[in-house]
Amino acid sequence: MAALYEGYTLCGLVPAQTLSNSGVQGIEQERDSDHVVVTDSTRCVTLYKVSDQKPLGSWTVKQGQTLTCSAVFNSQTNEYVAITDYKVIRIWKEEDILLEKAFKATLSSDVWKVHCVDGAEPVVLFQRGAVRLLDSLLSAPQQPIEEVLSQEEAIRWSTNIVAETQQIVVFTTEQKGDHFLYLQRLNPNTLQRYRLEREEPGVAPLSFSASYRDKHIRLLYLYPNGHVYQSVVSVRGLATEEGTQALSLPRSLLLALPVGEGPLEAASAMVLDEAHVAVVGVPHPSAGAGKDFLCIWNTNFQTLQAGKEMAGKIYGQLWCYSNKLFIPHGKTLSVIPFVCPTSSLAYALGKLRQAKTEDSKAPASVPSWNNILHGEKAQPSRTVETRKTRTTRKTQSTPCLTTDQVLELIKTAPVEDVQKEVEGLLSRSDIQDLQPSVGRLVSVLVSRSLADPAFYTPSTLAQLVHTQGLCHSVCPDLVLLALERKDYFLCQLCLQFFPDIPEAVTCACLMAFISMPDVDAEKGSLEPDSVSFMETLISQERGQVGLQNGFSPPSLDEQHSDAHRGGDVIITNAEEKEKTSTPTEQMCPVGLHKAVLLNEVLQTAYSDTFLLPHLKDLSSQNVVLFLQYLQFLYLKFSQDAVPQMGLRSPSLAQIMDWVCLVLDAHFTVLVMTPEAKGLLLNLHNFVKSQVRLVSELGKIESSLQELNKMKEKRDIGQYSIEVIELF
């Protein structure tokens, strides 16, 4: 069943003056699935790394110039291509800083859009319907461009599709209320024109989407009345049906979506696969009026399979790359991962059964028509077939299984066989070659583990995570499965290697770690470096506490005195008191392994905005315990003897950031909790001491800067005395 996962913000938006414009002109995929190029509606092009939500580069045209089509990335030359002021084509590389110094050429006719698919040469679609390959256009920028469209005909939408190794430019036009579909093949150069059937007088499609499957181009379009139609055109007929006469294009109704109180105004529908369509800006059937949703519909069974409310205004824009939906709404551009597994009529009818065998419980399988209509006797158990296959293999010379064969084996075989085959596949394959298959292997393992409580392969999952070919968006259920099975070692690995863990999952890990008994945490093994760090930190000898940055934590209330002599400034600590016992705040409030797991949470990337709401779900007891642990770390990190040595550990800045976050989320509750009074006073003293330290450092800032500027003498002998005057 299709699912929408928790999204995250790629960037903020500055909507244009017109309410229908989000400020985003286009989004194009760059070199891989983790990079996109965002073009705003005026002057700026920005390259983003999606998993980190970070801009890697930005280019802006001069004041008075305007980007008139979205920029694309030419993978053949590793260059970006964009159009300014309709006629000026600009080409630049990632290392270029100023667009004005990059290549540009003025064309003889206005451009509608530049299209580029991975591995193919960019194509330029002109506003009057002509199409040129980029290289041929650059060889003679002022070449005459023919007019394909009639006088009152205008392009409304376009895309580029690779069909049977050939590029086809697909675009739709409007003329006096009629809509047409054009298919332009580049090699050989053929053009086909179709007339779309009219819906209602004065009603135009809100959005178009095209896909290629089974040697056919499928055009999907959404009308304001909620009707989603599909028209199918054979690719084979393009070369023989060329002509100026528009052929009537049949259509079929795929979906009749709910529209609420009136016609849709800003909505979009996009093909995800042969059975699923993503729709944004259409009301949810069971939600009240005035709410906009992103939904995934199954076109085979006419069912709504996933929905997510989108805050803010919807602009009717939707892009899809690498199982991620990009949606502008309000003042945010959001990225929402999704998955669309194969659907079955058995699931839709509620007759999806779980097969049971002697050896193990198999995951939910999809029965055939015979199973649905006549029961399960018509088809033998897949587990029996797998067992026979396994027996046959043992009698032979143990041939190596392919990735697809291992994937099929995972669905039914016992744990021991699955571990053996997956580990064998990893050992005999180059990790780089296996990267695309790692996600599929984990997805199938996780799916079966969720469906069958008796099936779980911790060592195999850990080995797959260690390949570093995974991220949370590829296997969104893996971390939650590890928490459910109390596999804390796998949780630790996911927190270390996944750069895109959502804040909700991070907080779920935090709640699980902070609330579990220390006894449970000590049962499993964890990553050695992180354990070594905490062992050293906890087992440090009790005694005199060293100073770092002039701050001595046990002496928070002691006053520092300044002595000014001849311009020299000396900061001295008050008389030290001997300690016969370790203060409570210097004792780790949690066990060793529990502390190690909490450290992994502290080092996970997050956004304050999205983490704070989830932190509020922590109970007051867990909040106090977590703050006590953060206080313990802070005290240890304020000493000179913190064991770094390249071991994995949180930084002092990360510790303080989490202290601030927890206090922001629970300050009112903590003030009302008697147990937290001493803790809050200690944290207040921390801040007070740091303010005092910064104040003292400010007094000698200019002197330290002068020391920095002094040049070291080269003729210093074995012994010398130098006098440095500080003014």
Side-chain angles (χ1 to χ4, degrees):
M1 188 171 179
L4 291 167
Y5 298 113
E6 182 166 356
Y8 46 90
T9 299
L10 182 64
C11 63
L13 300 178
V14 182
Q17 297 297 326
T18 57
L19 295 178
S20 60
N21 193 334
S22 66
V24 176
Q25 187 169 180
I27 300 175
E28 301 287 341
Q29 189 165 3
E30 209 234 24
R31 68 200 75 167
D32 54 35
S33 61
D34 199 28
H35 293 80
V36 293
V37 180
V38 180
T39 307
D40 69 19
S41 56
T42 53
R43 302 169 50 217
C44 188
V45 177
T46 307
L47 170 64
Y48 286 95
K49 185 175 183 182
V50 179
S51 59
D52 292 343
Q53 301 105 61
K54 290 182 179 178
L56 302 181
S58 183
W59 303 270
T60 305
V61 298
K62 288 198 312 184
Q63 188 75 29
Q65 299 175 344
T66 305
L67 290 163
T68 50
C69 85
S70 56
V72 299
F73 179 73
N74 183 357
S75 59
Q76 292 184 339
T77 60
N78 289 330
E79 294 175 327
Y80 300 92
V81 183
I83 303 293
T84 58
D85 302 325
Y86 298 104
K87 286 187 177 181
V88 180
I89 187 166
R90 296 177 182 269
I91 301 175
W92 72 95
K93 291 183 177 291
E94 185 173 346
E95 56 267 22
D96 293 334
I97 299 175
L98 299 176
L99 284 185
E100 285 305 309
K101 295 183 178 180
F103 173 85
K104 61 182 176 180
T106 302
L107 308 178
S108 62
S109 184
D110 289 351
V111 173
W112 165 259
K113 200 167 186 181
V114 180
H115 289 287
C116 186
V117 292
D118 187 33
E121 183 182 347
V123 294
V124 179
L125 172 61
F126 289 87
Q127 288 191 1
R128 304 309 305 157
V131 176
R132 294 285 190 277
L133 288 170
L134 180 62
D135 284 349
S136 65
L137 188 62
L138 293 178
S139 63
Q142 287 296 312
Q143 61 184 274
I145 304 297
E146 70 276 10
E147 292 195 6
V148 177
L149 307 182
S150 59
Q151 284 296 329
E152 299 179 354
E153 195 173 2
I155 298 177
R156 297 297 179 221
W157 169 86
S158 64
T159 189
N160 193 23
I161 290 176
V162 175
E164 299 179 345
T165 70
Q166 293 187 342
Q167 291 196 70
I168 300 176
V169 179
V170 182
F171 60 96
T172 63
T173 63
E174 182 180 3
Q175 181 184 21
K176 296 181 179 180
D178 289 325
H179 289 81
F180 300 90
L181 171 68
Y182 286 80
L183 302 177
Q184 171 73 62
R185 189 197 295 258
L186 297 176
N187 188 18
N189 194 355
T190 60
L191 177 67
Q192 186 59 50
R193 184 174 185 242
Y194 296 92
R195 181 191 300 271
L196 302 182
E197 294 183 22
R198 280 200 175 192
E199 179 68 3
E200 298 174 7
V203 176
L206 293 175
S207 72
F208 293 92
S209 175
S211 61
Y212 175 73
R213 188 173 73 253
D214 300 331
K215 302 185 186 301
H216 288 80
I217 292 176
R218 302 168 191 271
L219 182 71
L220 188 86
Y221 40 107
L222 168 67
Y223 280 93
N225 58 7
H227 289 181
V228 179
Y229 292 97
Q230 178 179 263
S231 296
V232 181
V233 181
S234 174
V235 173
R236 291 181 175 178
L238 292 183
T240 59
E241 297 178 2
E242 182 178 4
T244 57
Q245 185 65 33
L247 303 176
S248 179
L249 185 63
R251 69 182 185 182
S252 58
L253 181 64
L254 280 187
L255 292 170
L257 302 174
V259 296
E261 300 175 352
L264 303 174
E265 295 181 356
S268 182
M270 174 166 287
V271 179
L272 300 181
D273 60 20
E274 63 271 16
H276 297 90
V277 173
V279 182
V280 67
V282 177
H284 193 286
S286 59
K291 295 182 178 180
D292 290 310
F293 279 79
L294 167 67
C295 298
I296 295 181
W297 288 80
N298 187 303
T299 56
N300 289 344
F301 308 125
Q302 305 287 300
T303 56
L304 174 63
Q305 295 200 336
K308 188 179 187 66
E309 184 177 356
M310 307 304 296
K313 181 178 176 58
I314 294 294
Y315 302 98
Q317 293 176 298
L318 183 63
W319 291 270
C320 178
Y321 298 109
S322 306
N323 278 25
K324 298 182 186 72
L325 292 169
F326 296 78
I327 306 169
H329 59 102
K331 295 185 178 180
T332 300
L333 175 59
S334 291
V335 182
I336 301 180
F338 69 92
V339 64
C340 291
T342 304
S343 301
S344 66
L345 182 60
Y347 190 95
L349 295 176
K351 294 188 177 183
L352 190 63
R353 301 176 183 176
Q354 190 169 2
K356 296 182 180 180
T357 63
E358 298 175 0
D359 294 298
S360 64
K361 295 179 181 178
S365 58
V366 180
S368 66
W369 281 101
N370 287 333
N371 294 40
I372 298 171
L373 300 176
H374 309 295
E376 298 185 2
K377 294 182 179 179
Q379 182 175 337
S381 167
R382 292 183 65 184
T383 303
V384 175
E385 293 177 1
T386 305
R387 188 165 57 248
K388 290 179 181 178
T389 305
R390 191 168 61 252
T391 305
T392 305
R393 282 202 310 272
K394 289 181 179 179
T395 59
Q396 298 172 357
S397 58
T398 316
C400 298
L401 298 183
T402 64
T403 302
D404 290 336
Q405 289 173 327
V406 173
L407 287 169
E408 285 301 315
L409 181 135
I410 290 174
K411 297 177 182 178
T412 53
V415 171
E416 295 78 11
D417 288 351
V418 169
Q419 289 178 333
K420 177 182 176 183
E421 294 298 342
V422 174
E423 290 171 4
L425 181 65
L426 292 175
S427 64
R428 65 176 176 265
S429 303
D430 185 6
I431 292 299
Q432 296 298 327
D433 298 336
L434 200 61
Q435 288 281 11
S437 304
V438 171
R440 296 166 60 198
L441 290 168
V442 172
S443 296
V444 177
L445 286 168
V446 171
S447 297
R448 183 175 175 188
S449 299
L450 291 172
D452 183 1
F455 180 87
Y456 189 59
T457 55
S459 60
T460 303
L461 289 170
Q463 193 173 359
L464 289 168
V465 173
H466 260 299
T467 64
Q468 300 187 32
L470 293 171
C471 62
H472 182 270
S473 57
V474 171
C475 45
D477 294 325
L478 179 58
V479 179
L480 298 180
L481 172 66
L483 289 176
E484 179 185 329
R485 299 298 180 96
K486 296 184 178 181
D487 187 351
Y488 300 122
F489 177 61
L490 182 59
C491 288
Q492 183 186 24
L493 292 180
C494 292
L495 290 172
Q496 287 184 9
F497 293 119
F498 289 2
D500 60 340
I501 293 182
E503 285 76 3
V505 176
T506 300
C507 216
C509 292
L510 172 60
M511 286 189 282
F513 297 159
I514 199 71
S515 59
M516 69 178 175
D518 287 334
V519 177
D520 290 350
E522 301 299 325
K523 290 180 181 178
S525 60
L526 297 176
E527 197 268 328
D529 279 354
S530 53
V531 174
S532 298
F533 170 79
M534 281 310 301
E535 282 178 339
T536 308
L537 201 65
I538 293 175
S539 63
Q540 280 182 348
E541 293 183 4
R542 301 173 183 177
Q544 181 179 357
V545 180
L547 295 174
Q548 178 170 312
N549 296 333
F551 172 51
S552 178
S555 307
L556 291 173
D557 297 326
E558 295 177 357
Q559 300 298 321
H560 297 276
S561 61
D562 297 343
H564 300 268
R565 299 177 180 175
D568 296 336
V569 180
I570 303 173
I571 303 175
T572 62
N573 192 43
E575 183 180 355
E576 297 181 359
K577 301 178 182 179
E578 293 185 0
K579 302 292 182 179
T580 56
S581 61
T582 304
T584 306
E585 60 268 17
Q586 291 194 41
M587 298 176 61
C588 186
V590 298
L592 173 63
H593 281 198
K594 194 169 181 177
V596 170
L597 293 172
L598 290 175
N599 287 350
E600 296 298 342
V601 174
L602 299 182
Q603 298 172 79
T604 305
Y606 63 85
S607 168
D608 297 9
T609 306
F610 297 105
L611 184 62
L612 273 174
H614 298 293
L615 279 178
K616 293 179 180 179
D617 296 334
L618 284 170
S619 66
S620 59
Q621 181 181 359
N622 287 337
V623 169
V624 172
L625 180 59
F626 189 38
L627 282 174
Q628 287 173 344
Y629 177 66
L630 292 173
Q631 176 187 239
F632 162 78
L633 286 181
Y634 181 82
L635 291 173
K636 290 293 184 181
F637 272 73
S638 298
Q639 301 170 15
D640 289 332
V642 175
Q644 298 297 334
M645 300 177 295
L647 300 178
R648 180 171 174 80
S649 64
S651 66
L652 184 59
Q654 288 172 330
I655 295 168
M656 292 308 299
D657 287 343
W658 274 92
V659 170
C660 296
L661 281 169
V662 176
L663 289 176
D664 285 345
H666 291 274
F667 187 73
T668 304
V669 176
L670 289 170
V671 170
M672 303 298 292
T673 304
E675 296 83 1
K677 182 178 179 181
L679 179 63
L680 291 177
L681 288 174
N682 282 341
L683 294 175
H684 172 71
N685 286 332
F686 294 162
V687 177
K688 188 177 178 181
S689 65
Q690 290 297 311
V691 171
R692 184 168 58 245
L693 171 63
V694 172
S695 175
E696 296 296 339
L697 289 176
K699 296 177 182 178
I700 61 171
E701 180 182 7
S702 58
S703 300
L704 294 176
Q705 288 176 349
E706 289 301 320
L707 284 175
N708 245 349
K709 296 177 183 178
M710 295 178 65
K711 296 181 180 179
E712 185 177 333
K713 296 180 180 180
R714 297 181 180 179
D715 56 347
I716 296 177
Q718 293 183 354
Y719 177 79
S720 66
I721 298 177
E722 295 187 42
V723 178
I724 300 175
E725 295 183 2
L726 301 178
F727 297 97

